[in-house]
Amino acid sequence: MKVEILNPHGYCAGVKRAIQIALDASNNTLTKRPIYLLGNLIHNKQVTSALTSKGIITIEEKNRTRLQMLDDIESGTVIFSAHGISNKVREKAKSKGLNIIDASCGKVLIIHKKVLEYLEKGYEIIYIGKAHHPECEAILEESDHIHLITKKSDINLLNINCEKIYVTNQTTLSSLETKEIYDTIQAKYPKAYLDNNICNATTLRQNAILNAKGFDLCIVVGDVMSSNSKRLCEIANSNNMASLLVETSKDLTDDIKKYNNILLTSGASTPEEVLNDVYNHLINM
Ligand code: SF4
C-alpha cells in the first residue's frame, strides 16, 4: 500500500488567523471575561477542545442560529467565528454591551459586503450555499430578498420578477457542482450578474485532487461538520477515486488495506498533527 500526502493541505490563512485571534484574546489578561465563542470557531473538534482548555467557552447547539445562541451570553467577550456573522448578530451583541472580537475570514467578509451593496442597489440575490452552514446563515439573515440555492433542482422553484439579479456563493463549495448551478442560473436568468466566490484555498485543494492520477482511494482528514472537507471527498469521487472522510486515525479500518494507492489530504480546518498521525497509522497498516 502506497500513501502520498497531497499538497496543499492543512490550515488555510483564514483558519490560521481565526485561531490566532482566539488565542491572543485568551492570553491577554485585559480581555473581558468570560470569553465566549459564538458557534465553533472553525469546524474541528480538536481545535474546539484546545480552545476550551484555554478557558474559552464555545456556545454551539444544533438547530439554533447564532442570533439565538447569543441569548446565552450576558457579559464578557464574544468572538465571532471564521464563517462570518450577520449585521443582526453584530448589533445584538453591541446592544448587550459585549466586548466583540471578530475572527471572520476576510474572504467571507468581502462576499458579505458585496451582498449588502447589491441589496442596497435594489438587486435580488441568489445565494448558492449549504442550508444551516453558519456562513450561509449569516448571509440569509440580512434580507428576505436573498434566495438560497442548495442544489441544481432548486433553480426550478425560483420565481424572481426583477431585472437586477446578483448571484454569489458560499466560499467552500465544490467547484464542479457550483459551475453546473451557475450555468443553469445563467440559462434561466441570462442578465443576472454571476460572481463565483469559491475561495482560493478551496479551489487549490480541489484542483490538486482533480489533477491527481493513479490513486484508488482519497482519504480526507477533516471534521464531519467541515464543509470544505466533505467537498474534497466529492471531488475525489468525480476523479474516479473512492473517498473516505476520517476525523482521526481511530476512524481507519482494515477495509482500507484493499486499496493500493492512497492519496491523503486534509480540510482547511484540520490541524497538521492530526494529518500526520493518520499518515503514520496508514504506513504501519
Ligand atoms: S476556507 Fe477560504 S473562506 Fe474559509 S476560512 Fe479558509 S480562506 Fe477563508
Side-chain angles (χ1 to χ4, degrees), residues 11-55:
Y11 288 157
C12 62
V15 164
K16 270 189 209 158
R17 178 177 168 275
I19 294 172
Q20 196 54 54
I21 286 174
L23 291 176
D24 288 349
S26 105
N27 290 334
N28 185 346
T29 51
L30 297 178
T31 307
K32 274 198 205 168
R33 262 60 179 181
I35 304 174
Y36 295 97
L37 265 166
L38 188 62
N40 289 314
L41 182 68
I42 56 171
H43 285 138
N44 186 274
K45 292 179 185 68
Q46 291 93 348
V47 172
T48 301
S49 62
L51 294 173
T52 305
S53 71
K54 300 284 286 179

Side-chain angles (χ1 to χ4, degrees), residues 86-103:
S86 69
N87 279 336
K88 280 185 188 152
V89 174
R90 198 180 300 279
E91 290 311 315
K92 186 169 170 178
K94 272 189 207 162
S95 71
K96 292 183 114 186
L98 300 173
N99 176 39
I100 294 172
I101 297 179
D102 192 350

